[in-house]
Amino acid sequence: MKRRIIDTIEQYDTVIIHRHIRPDPDAYGSQFGLKTLIKDNYPNKKVYAVGTHDELLSYLAHPDEVSDEEYKGALVIVTDTANTERIDDDRYSNGNFLVKIDHHPNNDAYGDLVWVDTESSSCSELIYELYEEGREYKGWKMSEECAKFLFAGIVGDTGRFLYPSTTTKTFEVAGQLVNYQFNRNEIYNGMYEMDPNLLKLQGYVYQNFTMDENGAAYIKLPKELLEEYNVTTSETSSLVGSLSNIKGVRAWAFFVEEPHEIRVRLRSKGPIVNELAKKYHGGGHPLASGATAYSWEEVDQVIADLKQLCKEY
């Protein structure tokens, strides 16, 4: 499959790379890592990375502006995106050929070529594997910039190598990437430094979360509270891991109110939460998923299901 993807890349003069909405470091890492990898080895190709920019990821990169005209006859590659509903920029279907590269469960096998490996820690790790294949097959090289993107994506999706998705292969890949002379401190600072307002909200989370006797924990963050702390909904993503430090917690949920919906972030130390996420308009990894609720009453249903899930675990 990797060689088929490489052969396909070689056939096209224009490559446009998409990723999922509400991007995280692995979305940017895999997307811009692949863009840079292709440019490193095919400098005459036009390669773009598209999607709505998240200012929290400005330390990594900024997406490209691409006209509709560029999609004519182009190769489109979508990274780190399980289903078509979550692809950022619906022009992904306007190209000549579509490739999917992902590490989430393949419930939506869109694309003309599909490479999905759910055993991989991150999509950025898969892009490194593509580089390894390209090095052997076509003599590919990798720049420091590409290595930086892939390292950031792996660190982000493994929680600094703490999550169970981290494998021996993950450490091997990270070990190869740190041989490149990019600034790791710059990545860590961009990824983990918090503004004072966000730290104060984290304090609120620690003081106000709820956990039952079976280790099901949750916190509700209504929009009035976010306004009080002057924190955006996207900024709250960096707080989701906070409840992992609580002794006895099995699985937890963050409920963050947006203008027209309530974003649900589910995390777990054991119970499988992606099936719960699917029930509420979402999905994801077995131990890290996202969903959407449309009222606080529906949120209470999610909480009841989460409690039952932990009770049965």
Side-chain angles (χ1 to χ4, degrees), residues 13-203:
D13 295 326
T14 300
V15 183
I16 304 173
I17 307 170
H18 290 241
R19 39 77 182 163
H20 60 77
I21 59 174
R22 300 170 180 168
D24 55 17
D26 189 35
Y28 268 38
S30 58
Q31 182 189 33
F32 286 95
L34 180 58
K35 172 189 172 179
T36 309
L37 182 61
I38 295 172
K39 290 296 290 184
D40 287 344
N41 295 283
Y42 305 98
N44 293 326
K45 292 185 184 295
K46 294 188 291 184
V47 189
Y48 305 105
V50 301
T52 303
H53 180 54
D54 189 325
E55 287 298 331
L56 296 177
L57 295 171
S58 293
Y59 66 93
L60 280 177
H62 287 76
D64 301 308
E65 296 289 337
V66 179
S67 69
D68 294 346
E69 188 70 22
E70 292 288 355
Y71 280 85
K72 294 181 179 178
L75 170 64
V76 176
I77 304 176
V78 182
T79 66
D80 197 37
T81 311
N83 50 61
T84 54
E85 290 81 5
R86 298 200 72 233
I87 300 174
D88 194 334
D89 194 327
D90 59 13
R91 295 179 296 171
Y92 73 89
S93 60
N94 291 357
N96 187 64
F97 196 87
L98 180 62
V99 177
K100 174 185 181 180
I101 302 176
D102 191 29
H103 69 125
H104 299 91
N106 194 27
N107 298 320
D108 183 357
Y110 63 86
D112 301 296
L113 269 183
V114 179
W115 177 30
V116 173
D117 182 358
T118 58
E119 299 299 313
S120 183
S121 72
S122 56
C123 196
S124 294
E125 185 176 318
L126 291 180
I127 302 304
Y128 184 85
E129 289 185 27
L130 186 68
Y131 155 69
E132 287 184 313
E133 192 69 36
R135 182 180 59 193
E136 178 182 334
Y137 183 39
K138 296 289 184 177
W140 278 12
K141 300 183 184 303
M142 178 185 288
S143 64
E144 291 177 0
E145 183 181 23
C146 179
K148 176 191 75 173
F149 288 132
L150 300 185
F151 184 78
I154 292 170
V155 168
D157 247 29
T158 62
R160 288 178 283 189
F161 309 103
L162 292 175
Y163 298 159
S165 60
T166 306
T167 65
T168 301
K169 174 68 174 178
T170 308
F171 283 116
E172 290 172 353
V173 171
Q176 292 298 318
L177 291 172
V178 297
N179 288 320
Y180 291 83
Q181 300 303 306
F182 58 87
N183 190 331
R184 275 181 279 164
N185 285 336
E186 187 177 90
I187 291 172
Y188 290 133
N189 290 341
M191 203 174 290
Y192 296 110
E193 281 185 344
M194 293 185 189
D195 288 334
N197 288 350
L198 193 57
L199 279 172
K200 291 175 182 177
L201 181 59
Q202 186 177 47

